Amino acid sequence: MTTASLPLFPLNAVLFPGLVLPLNVFEERYRAMMRELLKTDDPEARRFVVVAIRDGHEVAVTSPGMPDPTSVPERGPSAGFGDAPLDSFHSVGCVADAATIRERPDGSFEVVATGTTRVRLLSVDASGPYLTAQVEEVPEESGEGAEALAEGVLRAFRTYQQRLAGASERTLPDDEELPGEPPVVSYLVAAAAMLDVPAKQQLLEATDTASRLRQELKLLRAETAVIRKLPSLPATDLTTTPTNLN
């Protein structure tokens, strides 16, 4: 099992392999992380781990989107996460490759990262200017029946989109535009579905692709049944815009 020590970026969100994560970085501990990553000449080596927060809270000025100007950030690498930061995070996160790190004149950063590999947190170190974690890779196993399940999930997802957005069939992607590989399908649907963080985290932690797809099939069918009974839903345009993990 591959292990590594990587910078840790906690969020109130779940990152999946293959999905893009835009970040606006304002807080000093994460600015320090980005400055350190920029010292690496190879952009492909600018890696950090995104992990969803279990307890505690994410400091408001470090989040996808613009900061809260009224908030006063806590200080220190583990601020907001208690004396045992490992207990504040879910045990499985995702390695992110920072393809783009741009420093603004005010010292904040605009970052675009892509999820690559699932990892399990073994320990968290708060002795430096930002959190780091010792992690081990979580391999993606296929599981039995993944191909057939992926086809079923795509059909269920298209129906879910139609119900949620009130879209006609022609407004949704053509079949050739949709992914075919079961792991890609499973992660794309997990990211695009309107689920809360615990539900998304459960999908990230699935033991294999087939298990994730089975969970998604149940969730999509249940959500579609609920939507069918509702006269209207807010923010229905979310299903017709490009997916990212804001």
Side-chain angles (χ1 to χ4, degrees):
M1 186 72 70
T2 303
T3 62
S5 179
L6 294 173
L8 187 65
F9 203 123
L11 283 176
N12 287 315
V14 178
L15 177 63
F16 295 94
L19 274 295
V20 174
L21 176 68
L23 291 168
N24 287 297
V25 179
F26 291 85
E27 194 182 344
E28 178 52 37
R29 54 182 163 180
Y30 302 120
R31 291 189 191 193
M33 179 190 300
M34 296 307 155
R35 289 193 295 266
E36 187 65 27
L37 291 177
L38 281 174
K39 294 179 182 179
T40 304
D41 293 332
D42 183 4
E44 294 183 0
R46 295 171 183 166
R47 302 186 303 157
F48 58 94
V49 175
V50 172
V51 64
I53 299 167
R54 185 196 303 276
D55 297 315
H57 62 279
E58 183 184 0
V59 177
V61 294
T62 302
S63 62
M66 297 304 293
D68 176 3
T70 65
S71 65
V72 178
E74 299 178 63
R75 303 297 181 185
S78 61
F81 304 125
D83 297 330
L86 183 63
D87 297 336
S88 294
F89 311 132
H90 286 279
S91 60
V92 175
C94 184
V95 174
D97 282 351
T100 302
I101 304 177
R102 293 194 180 97
E103 186 171 6
R104 300 187 181 99
D106 65 357
S108 64
F109 289 88
E110 178 183 347
V111 180
V112 178
T114 302
T116 60
T117 307
R118 295 187 303 164
V119 291
R120 188 178 309 279
L121 273 63
L122 303 177
S123 62
V124 174
D125 183 1
S127 62
Y130 50 84
L131 295 175
T132 60
Q134 189 72 23
V135 299
E136 66 177 7
E137 182 179 352
V138 179
E140 180 73 18
E141 305 290 345
S142 177
E144 185 176 354
E147 293 281 350
L149 284 164
E151 294 177 4
V153 166
L154 283 176
R155 287 193 298 270
F157 183 62
R158 291 174 68 89
T159 301
Y160 168 79
Q161 282 187 307
Q162 286 179 287
R163 292 290 182 182
L164 188 60
S168 63
E169 185 72 19
R170 63 179 178 274
T171 67
L172 299 175
D174 296 331
D175 289 340
E176 58 267 22
E177 296 177 8
L178 294 170
E181 301 82 359
V184 178
V185 171
S186 72
Y187 288 131
L188 175 63
V189 170
M194 296 179 66
L195 304 171
D196 60 17
V197 168
K200 287 180 179 285
Q201 182 66 32
Q202 188 175 15
L203 293 174
L204 180 69
E205 295 183 10
T207 55
D208 53 49
T209 302
S211 297
R212 185 178 305 109
L213 290 167
R214 288 191 190 94
Q215 292 180 47
E216 289 170 349
L217 199 55
K218 292 179 181 179
L219 286 168
L220 289 171
R221 287 172 174 170
E223 290 295 311
T224 301
V226 170
I227 294 167
R228 187 181 295 119
K229 297 178 181 179
L230 297 178
S232 63
L233 283 175
T236 54
D237 61 325
L238 291 175
T239 60
T240 60
T241 56
T243 299
N244 60 54
L245 300 182
N246 279 321

